[in-house]
Amino acid sequence: MQYDPEQEPYVALRTKALESLLIEKGLITPEAVDAQISRYEQDIGPLRGAQIVARAWRDPDFKERLLQDGAKALAEFDVPSSAPLVVVENTPDEHNIVVCTLCSCYPWYVLGLPPTWYKDFAYRSRAVIEPRAVLRDFGLELDESVTIRVWDSSADQRYMVLPECPEGVAHLTEDELAALITRDAMIGVAKVQAPAQSVAAN
Amino acid sequence: MQYDPEQEPYVALRTKALESLLIEKGLITPEAVDAQISRYEQDIGPLRGAQIVARAWRDPDFKERLLQDGAKALAEFDVPSSAPLVVVENTPDEHNIVVCTLCSCYPWYVLGLPPTWYKDFAYRSRAVIEPRAVLRDFGLELDESVTIRVWDSSADQRYMVLPECPEGVAHLTEDELAALITRDAMIGVAKVQAPAQSVAAN
Amino acid sequence: MNGVHDMGGMHGFGPVVREENEPLFHAEWEARVRAMQGATVGRFFNLDEFRYGIEQMDPAHYLRSSYFERWLATIEYNLVQKGVVTSAELDARTELLRQQPDADLPAPGSVESPWRTAESFPRPDLPDLTPRFAAGDAVVTRNQHPIGHTRLPRYARGKRGVIHLVHGPEVFADTNAHGLGPNPQIVYSVRFDARELWGDAADPGGTLNIDLWESYLEPAPG
Amino acid sequence: MNGVHDMGGMHGFGPVVREENEPLFHAEWEARVRAMQGATVGRFFNLDEFRYGIEQMDPAHYLRSSYFERWLATIEYNLVQKGVVTSAELDARTELLRQQPDADLPAPGSVESPWRTAESFPRPDLPDLTPRFAAGDAVVTRNQHPIGHTRLPRYARGKRGVIHLVHGPEVFADTNAHGLGPNPQIVYSVRFDARELWGDAADPGGTLNIDLWESYLEPAPG
């Protein structure tokens, strides 16, 4: 989505107007808005999700609990979940991809604030009808034999992809593993890459 | 459709730019464009259609030919038809309404240039899913018992409605009858009204 | 294509507004666009390409644009596609006219163009074809979602209807819009119960007729 | 409603463009809209009303607007609907700030509002409900076209699928968006063959799962 230069100044003014009205009516305080914004700025983004994925790769029992009931498994990570979570697992034969066609539902409590492309019209319209072409836009070319499973999150459940663990990472700690796991991989538009030296070592 | 004040000046300039390029390349002449425009200005609008409807009301054989093959019947009126015409007849039990949801196909050779509302998004979107509500927008409230038949003109055929003949017009000439028949009635969003004195005479 | 132009059944566009004593054109440029369309369609591009060019507009631009703005957009799109004019020429000329509305322009015919010899082409002759279906036959429309031009609206895909009229052969818009030939097919007026298309939202007892090419249709099972 | 927000399967929006090192917000006002949403949703209006407010945007405006512009639009829409602020107040304040960006504004809390006592409301407690369907059951979605809010996308109406997961009870968005109560229902993840939804355009062998409320579903015939 490009920003419309004709609308942008108006929108900024309108935002300020609305906020000032809510403030003078005593319905919100400027401090509360500022505090909320600084919380976003300290947002850890997709790190929580990455830690969960790394744990699942290392701990088969945790992985089973995670796939069984995502929200319950999250409790082990002390994540304040506000919605049920369904974790779907990628395998050599199946690739999962998550979208919300009707708005932009997103598992923010594990992945942070959503990227703009996730909320844009191109992704929302195309992920369901031509997921393979969308993955190509991300530079991911799947083998024809791989089945693509799309998840359109239209209700309260949020979806996160458990990506495939790359080869050659047995020597890494769980934290080092987590550092490899990208937000895009947990939405299902990328694979997790092993660090360059590990790949070379294979 | 409201005109977008931010786009309008640009569009006028762009039109002039395109025309001037085609002219200097010798692909069109300004005289030809002007001549074409003056033909539109002398456009008789829906009069041809009205004459055809009036004739059909007065001449049952012609009506039969018209309903059988509209384009062929038009030849009797010396109309230079460029597309097949299907004429659909309103009765006390059935009301027909014509739309083109995909673009704005219109039987211009019998009804003249289409009105803006016919080309607007509201009509194109709603006529097929809630025709009764659309008719209400035109002030036409049909009895619940009347079946509504919608015609979405998606190919080369063009559609014209043969409205019901109002009561109390037996004394009128065919030309006087034609003067009562509106474009809207031949699209199917209005009924033909008898002149006020005729109604009073009933 | 599944585009915003495919408006049948959409909500959110408000009431139909009828303008009393509407003028033929709301501005001079509209009349000139209308006339230029007549002078270019069927000569530099065909009517299906003209329609497809409108569908190629950015969806937000489509919805912001009035009818003749969309016509201007597709005339430009098609003339550029065919090489009759270039976008750079058009941009430069627009900018010149913006800065100097009374600029001296090159005289008529002063610039060479290989397109001068282009003559109007009619829709091609149509062969006799044997209809696959007859009036009264039950059919089901294909659930198709082509990326290109099509005249089977989204609201009528995968739906059961009945052949109402056999219109006869017509050029196939879906190929003719893409330089893939006229490929004539029989076109039918297919009647659908409004309920089949709209469920509970349907006008009770209502019907819709849509003109559909033979390859959009299959015999209804059962 | 059948609105432009219901984007699944639409063509014409171009490639997906990924921004490297994207900032959390592209402008200060976006962050403030995000924070105001958190401070108003679940207090003056519910999340379904929030979503429906976006759907109420003029379609052309929706398509021109960035994500947080759409959020601002629905926060305003809902606050005006509920009477928390008025459009006139907002217009006047916007105009004042346009003319005098540093205008003195009334002090925090200096204007009375009956809404000060509004407290956050949680989603209501959900009862135990007996699911009508079990995993593996074949279902068909309703071909519904309500004028109001719904979470059954157009591309999945009148389609056959299989119950994949039984999620449990959830507030029914279609009524909760319109002040008609939470009316909890069981929600299911229904799996569809991509081919059922998209015909020949489907990714071969692919599937789509969509979360659907029980009243969107009927047992599949035959």
Side-chain angles (χ1 to χ4, degrees):
Chain A
M1 179 76 208
Q2 69 297 1
Y3 283 73
D4 190 321
E6 288 163 359
Q7 290 193 164
E8 184 88 0
Y10 171 80
V11 171
L13 275 183
R14 194 79 173 175
T15 301
K16 194 171 172 190
L18 181 59
E19 185 181 348
S20 74
L21 284 174
L22 293 177
I23 287 171
E24 74 186 36
K25 287 173 193 281
L27 303 177
I28 62 176
T29 66
E31 294 75 23
V33 172
D34 290 339
Q36 187 60 48
I37 291 173
S38 81
R39 271 200 292 281
Y40 300 133
E41 282 160 1
Q42 291 150 24
D43 184 81
I44 58 168
L47 180 57
R48 192 93 63 183
Q51 290 166 336
I52 293 166
V53 168
R55 173 76 51 85
W57 285 346
R58 285 287 151 87
D59 178 345
D61 291 339
F62 175 74
K63 177 175 155 184
E64 201 178 315
R65 293 196 297 279
L66 183 69
L67 294 175
Q68 191 63 37
D69 185 337
K72 212 162 136 190
L74 283 198
E76 303 178 30
F77 275 80
D78 205 23
V79 178
S81 163
S82 69
L85 182 73
V86 178
V87 178
V88 291
E89 183 184 14
N90 282 352
T91 69
D93 301 324
E94 294 192 2
H95 183 92
N96 295 279
I97 169 174
V98 178
V99 63
C100 170
T101 58
L102 294 173
C103 39
S104 299
C105 297
Y106 189 76
W108 54 267
Y109 50 91
V110 282
L111 298 189
L113 293 176
T116 295
W117 61 258
Y118 184 85
K119 304 178 283 186
D120 267 357
F121 306 145
Y123 187 73
R124 287 170 52 198
S125 60
R126 294 176 55 215
V128 286
I129 190 171
E130 45 175 2
R132 208 171 286 265
V134 166
L135 294 179
R136 253 180 243 125
D137 282 357
F138 285 92
L140 180 56
E141 181 80 49
L142 293 179
D143 192 87
E144 269 185 31
S145 66
V146 176
T147 299
I148 300 183
R149 304 209 183 277
V150 183
W151 302 80
D152 189 353
S153 32
S154 42
D156 285 351
Q157 282 66 31
R158 295 295 169 267
Y159 289 85
M160 186 177 90
V161 173
L162 176 61
E164 287 177 86
C165 184
E167 303 280 323
V169 294
H171 62 289
L172 299 184
T173 67
E174 211 174 290
D175 280 351
E176 286 169 337
L177 261 187
L180 300 177
I181 298 161
T182 63
R183 176 191 68 200
D184 288 8
M186 292 180 280
I187 301 175
V189 298
K191 293 195 174 217
V192 176
Q193 305 298 329
Q197 67 275 28
S198 305
V199 172
N202 277 343
Chain B
M1 182 72 209
Q2 70 296 4
Y3 283 75
D4 190 321
E6 289 163 358
Q7 290 193 164
E8 184 88 1
Y10 172 79
V11 171
L13 275 183
R14 194 78 173 176
T15 301
K16 196 172 169 189
L18 181 59
E19 185 181 347
S20 75
L21 284 174
L22 293 177
I23 288 170
E24 73 187 36
K25 287 173 193 281
L27 304 177
I28 61 174
T29 65
E31 295 75 23
V33 172
D34 290 339
Q36 187 61 46
I37 291 173
S38 82
R39 272 199 293 280
Y40 299 132
E41 282 159 1
Q42 291 150 25
D43 183 81
I44 59 168
L47 180 58
R48 192 95 62 183
Q51 290 167 335
I52 293 166
V53 169
R55 172 75 53 86
W57 284 347
R58 284 287 152 86
D59 177 347
D61 291 339
F62 174 74
K63 177 176 156 185
E64 201 180 315
R65 292 195 297 278
L66 182 68
L67 294 174
Q68 191 63 38
D69 184 337
K72 210 162 139 192
L74 283 197
E76 302 177 32
F77 274 79
D78 205 23
V79 178
S81 162
S82 69
L85 182 72
V86 178
V87 178
V88 290
E89 184 183 15
N90 282 353
T91 68
D93 301 323
E94 295 192 2
H95 184 92
N96 295 279
I97 170 174
V98 178
V99 64
C100 170
T101 58
L102 294 173
C103 40
S104 299
C105 297
Y106 189 76
W108 53 268
Y109 50 92
V110 283
L111 297 189
L113 292 176
T116 294
W117 63 257
Y118 184 85
K119 304 178 283 187
D120 267 356
F121 306 147
Y123 186 74
R124 286 171 51 197
S125 60
R126 294 175 56 215
V128 287
I129 190 170
E130 45 175 2
R132 210 171 285 265
V134 166
L135 294 179
R136 253 180 242 124
D137 282 356
F138 286 92
L140 179 56
E141 182 79 50
L142 293 180
D143 192 85
E144 269 185 29
S145 67
V146 176
T147 299
I148 300 183
R149 304 207 183 278
V150 183
W151 302 80
D152 188 353
S153 32
S154 42
D156 285 352
Q157 281 66 32
R158 295 295 170 266
Y159 289 84
M160 185 176 90
V161 173
L162 176 60
E164 286 177 88
C165 185
E167 302 281 321
V169 294
H171 61 289
L172 298 183
T173 66
E174 212 174 289
D175 280 349
E176 287 168 339
L177 262 186
L180 300 178
I181 298 160
T182 63
R183 176 191 67 197
D184 288 7
M186 292 181 280
I187 301 175
V189 296
K191 292 196 175 217
V192 175
Q193 305 297 329
Q197 67 273 28
S198 306
V199 172
N202 276 345
Chain C
M1 64 179 290
N2 295 344
V4 286
H5 72 282
D6 187 353
M7 297 208 148
M10 293 288 286
H11 294 130
F13 290 107
V16 179
V17 179
R18 189 181 182 286
E19 183 181 348
E20 279 298 332
N21 301 315
E22 184 183 344
L24 280 180
F25 299 104
H26 292 78
E28 165 70 10
W29 69 264
E30 292 194 334
R32 304 204 81 78
V33 167
R34 180 71 187 79
M36 275 197 282
Q37 193 258 9
T40 53
V41 78
R43 188 164 159 227
F44 305 122
F45 47 87
N46 67 45
L47 188 59
D48 299 305
E49 291 168 322
F50 175 80
R51 293 201 181 109
Y52 183 64
I54 295 176
E55 298 166 17
Q56 288 304 292
M57 291 175 76
D58 170 77
H61 185 206
Y62 182 104
L63 291 185
R64 281 183 81 175
S65 297
S66 66
Y67 184 70
F68 287 113
E69 283 179 65
R70 303 196 294 276
W71 277 34
L72 176 65
T74 186
I75 295 170
E76 175 178 335
Y77 172 86
N78 274 287
L79 291 177
V80 168
Q81 285 284 315
K82 304 285 180 177
V84 180
V85 299
T86 69
S87 292
E89 277 179 318
L90 261 166
D91 290 344
R93 181 59 52 86
T94 307
E95 185 55 24
L96 172 68
L97 290 170
R98 195 181 66 75
Q99 292 181 8
Q100 305 173 44
D102 299 316
D104 278 336
L105 298 176
S110 60
V111 173
E112 274 311 310
S113 166
W115 291 90
R116 282 200 202 168
T117 52
E119 284 179 27
S120 295
F121 53 88
R123 300 280 261 191
D125 284 338
L126 297 168
D128 277 337
L129 294 170
T130 305
R132 180 179 183 193
F133 303 106
D137 284 359
V139 292
V140 60
T141 57
R142 291 185 59 205
N143 179 26
Q144 59 154 43
H145 298 267
I147 203 111
H149 184 66
T150 187
R151 301 293 288 180
L152 173 56
R154 273 189 91 177
Y155 76 84
R157 296 181 188 163
K159 302 295 181 190
R160 296 172 71 110
V162 172
I163 301 289
H164 186 76
L165 297 167
V166 181
H167 286 318
E170 294 184 22
V171 166
F172 188 38
D174 300 36
T175 52
N176 203 47
H178 297 290
L180 300 173
N183 299 301
Q185 297 179 13
I186 300 287
V187 169
Y188 304 86
S189 177
V190 180
R191 176 163 285 182
F192 300 88
D193 283 345
R195 211 182 150 73
E196 166 76 6
L197 303 180
W198 309 117
D200 290 346
D203 194 63
T207 62
L208 283 92
N209 277 61
I210 314 175
D211 289 332
L212 299 174
W213 276 261
E214 194 166 272
S215 65
Y216 297 160
L217 306 172
E218 291 291 339
Chain D
M1 64 179 289
N2 296 343
V4 285
H5 73 282
D6 187 353
M7 296 209 149
M10 293 288 287
H11 295 130
F13 289 107
V16 179
V17 178
R18 189 182 182 286
E19 183 181 348
E20 278 299 334
N21 301 313
E22 184 182 347
L24 280 180
F25 299 103
H26 292 78
E28 165 69 10
W29 69 265
E30 292 194 335
R32 304 203 81 78
V33 167
R34 180 72 187 78
M36 275 199 280
Q37 194 258 9
T40 53
V41 79
R43 187 162 161 230
F44 305 122
F45 47 88
N46 67 44
L47 188 59
D48 298 308
E49 291 168 323
F50 175 79
R51 293 201 182 108
Y52 183 63
I54 295 177
E55 298 166 16
Q56 288 304 291
M57 292 175 75
D58 170 77
H61 186 205
Y62 183 104
L63 290 186
R64 279 182 83 177
S65 297
S66 66
Y67 184 69
F68 287 112
E69 281 179 64
R70 302 196 294 275
W71 277 34
L72 176 65
T74 186
I75 295 170
E76 173 177 336
Y77 172 85
N78 274 288
L79 291 177
V80 168
Q81 285 285 314
K82 303 287 179 178
V84 180
V85 300
T86 67
S87 292
E89 278 179 315
L90 261 166
D91 290 344
R93 181 60 51 89
T94 308
E95 184 56 22
L96 172 69
L97 290 170
R98 196 181 65 74
Q99 292 180 9
Q100 305 174 44
D102 299 315
D104 278 335
L105 299 175
S110 60
V111 173
E112 274 310 311
S113 166
W115 291 90
R116 281 200 203 167
T117 53
E119 284 177 27
S120 293
F121 55 86
R123 300 278 266 188
D125 284 337
L126 297 167
D128 277 337
L129 295 170
T130 306
R132 180 179 184 193
F133 304 107
D137 284 0
V139 293
V140 61
T141 56
R142 291 184 59 204
N143 179 26
Q144 59 153 43
H145 298 266
I147 203 114
H149 184 66
T150 187
R151 300 293 287 181
L152 174 55
R154 273 190 91 177
Y155 76 85
R157 296 181 188 162
K159 302 294 180 190
R160 297 172 72 112
V162 171
I163 301 289
H164 185 75
L165 298 168
V166 181
H167 287 315
E170 295 184 23
V171 166
F172 189 38
D174 301 37
T175 54
N176 203 47
H178 296 290
L180 300 172
N183 300 299
Q185 296 180 14
I186 301 286
V187 170
Y188 304 88
S189 177
V190 180
R191 177 162 285 181
F192 301 88
D193 284 344
R195 209 183 152 74
E196 168 76 6
L197 303 180
W198 308 118
D200 291 343
D203 194 62
T207 62
L208 282 93
N209 278 60
I210 314 176
D211 290 332
L212 299 174
W213 277 261
E214 192 167 274
S215 65
Y216 297 160
L217 305 173
E218 292 291 339

